[in-house]
Amino acid sequence: MQLPNPWRHATGSDGSVFASIRLVRHGLVERVRASTIEQRVHWVLRIGAAMCFIGHGAFGIITKEAWVPYFAVVGIPADWAYLLMPVVGTVDIIAGLTVLFAPRPIVLLYMSVWALWTALLRPLSGEDVWETLERAGNYGVPFAFLLLAGGREALRDWLARVEAWRMPPRVLAQIGRVLQLTTALLLVGHGALGALTSTPLLGMHYAAIGLPPETVPVAGWFEIALAAAVMLRPSVALLAFIALWKVATELLFPIAGAPWWEFIERGGSYAAPIAFAALIAHGNFSKATSISLERTSS
């Protein structure tokens, strides 16, 4: 289906991600309903973001001792931290359910900022900075979904329900770059925890399936190599493997005795490579990137 000429003017010559909202103002929405690719990416990101916040929120409800140092970063003592955890958890679950059943841009913005902040609390509380990178799926996926939702020029637009609309190739390419970087960061973060820090938790995970401690650094360097491949030569086959790899490695949490919420909380780590693979499979990412490079060189 060929897009009407006003689409080009509505998105602007700068290819702004947020300019697509102008289509709504020009009454063109009904003429540019989402194709298969937008629908697929929409639902993958939607489910991934919801899983992350529902899983994270569950730990707030049941109170997680490991969260106490994060509250201490902003001066909240342990007794108050345990009182506030269910509140934080409830808000997270509400955000996750909202995105799952009736997504709103304002909620996606909150999720992107909040997930980044909670990831930054790790190094701020004394943990390795790799912990922040390893959680890139938590903030990268809702941010990519926010870009897919289109721009917002008024408060009512931020509160409107997100639907899957047809997006111009350059916007899809920008979303693809966000997902590319998200996938690479979460692999580098997780890989570095094994290759450079030898986190005891990873040793417990591999021991649960009978693998020796030496597996941890080997798997870590392998993930770092996967991250480099994602940035240098992404492909559908590579990203499909990464998605399966992440599902398998995160399943080690419940296999090692941790609650299933650990696996659910990492929904963004599965969604990012899957959504990126969908964009590459349809040629949206490579074609739009090539066009962008040609315009830049000219």
Side-chain angles (χ1 to χ4, degrees):
M1 172 182 176
Q2 185 174 2
L3 295 176
N5 288 336
W7 172 271
R8 182 177 67 255
H9 303 293
T11 53
S13 59
D14 61 348
S16 172
V17 171
F18 296 111
S20 60
I21 189 61
R22 296 171 192 166
L23 287 173
V24 179
R25 295 165 65 93
H26 286 280
L28 299 175
V29 170
E30 291 300 320
R31 301 175 65 182
V32 289
R33 289 195 179 279
S35 62
T36 302
I37 179 59
E38 283 93 357
Q39 291 175 355
R40 287 178 179 175
V41 174
H42 173 100
W43 277 104
V44 170
L45 298 179
R46 185 170 172 175
I47 293 172
M51 287 177 64
C52 170
F53 270 69
I54 291 172
H56 190 265
F59 281 115
I61 297 295
I62 62 181
T63 65
K64 190 175 183 179
E65 184 179 358
W67 284 17
V68 174
Y70 309 145
F71 284 89
V73 170
V74 292
I76 299 176
D79 53 346
W80 275 96
Y82 281 107
L83 290 175
L84 290 173
M85 282 184 202
V87 177
V88 173
T90 300
V91 174
D92 279 356
I93 291 174
I94 291 173
L97 292 175
T98 300
V99 165
L100 186 60
F101 295 107
R104 314 284 172 175
I106 190 67
V107 177
L108 293 171
L109 178 62
Y110 160 78
M111 293 171 81
S112 303
V113 175
W114 179 250
L116 177 59
W117 168 243
T118 56
L120 288 171
L121 284 174
R122 269 67 185 181
L124 289 175
S125 64
E127 298 179 16
D128 289 297
V129 69
W130 306 116
E131 295 282 358
T132 297
L133 302 186
E134 194 267 338
R135 287 165 174 78
N138 296 2
Y139 46 86
V141 165
F143 180 64
F145 192 18
L146 178 62
L147 298 185
L148 186 64
R152 296 296 182 257
E153 297 180 349
L155 178 59
R156 65 178 180 276
D157 298 324
W158 285 94
L159 300 176
R161 182 185 175 110
V162 174
E163 303 290 351
W165 301 119
R166 180 76 60 89
M167 304 297 286
R170 292 187 66 181
V171 174
L172 291 177
Q174 290 172 330
I175 294 170
R177 282 189 284 271
V178 170
L179 294 173
Q180 181 182 30
L181 183 60
T182 297
T183 303
L185 287 178
L186 65 89
L187 286 169
V188 167
H190 194 266
L193 287 173
L196 303 179
T197 68
S198 298
T199 302
L201 179 63
L202 296 179
M204 293 172 54
H205 285 177
Y206 289 114
I209 55 175
L211 295 177
E214 293 77 12
T215 305
V216 176
V218 173
W221 285 115
F222 177 64
E223 290 186 324
I224 292 173
L226 287 177
V230 168
M231 294 304 298
L232 297 175
R233 191 175 290 274
S235 67
V236 174
L238 173 66
L239 292 162
F241 173 80
I242 289 172
L244 291 174
W245 172 267
K246 290 305 297 179
V247 169
T249 54
E250 301 303 350
L251 274 174
L252 295 178
F253 270 103
I255 290 175
W260 272 92
W261 299 116
E262 293 280 7
F263 175 78
I264 296 172
E265 181 186 3
R266 286 159 175 80
S269 296
Y270 327 132
I274 293 174
F276 188 29
L279 288 172
I280 293 178
H282 275 256
N284 298 85
F285 178 73
S286 57
K287 289 180 181 178
T289 302
S290 299
I291 293 173
S292 178
L293 289 175
E294 289 175 2
R295 290 180 178 177
T296 301
S297 60
S298 61

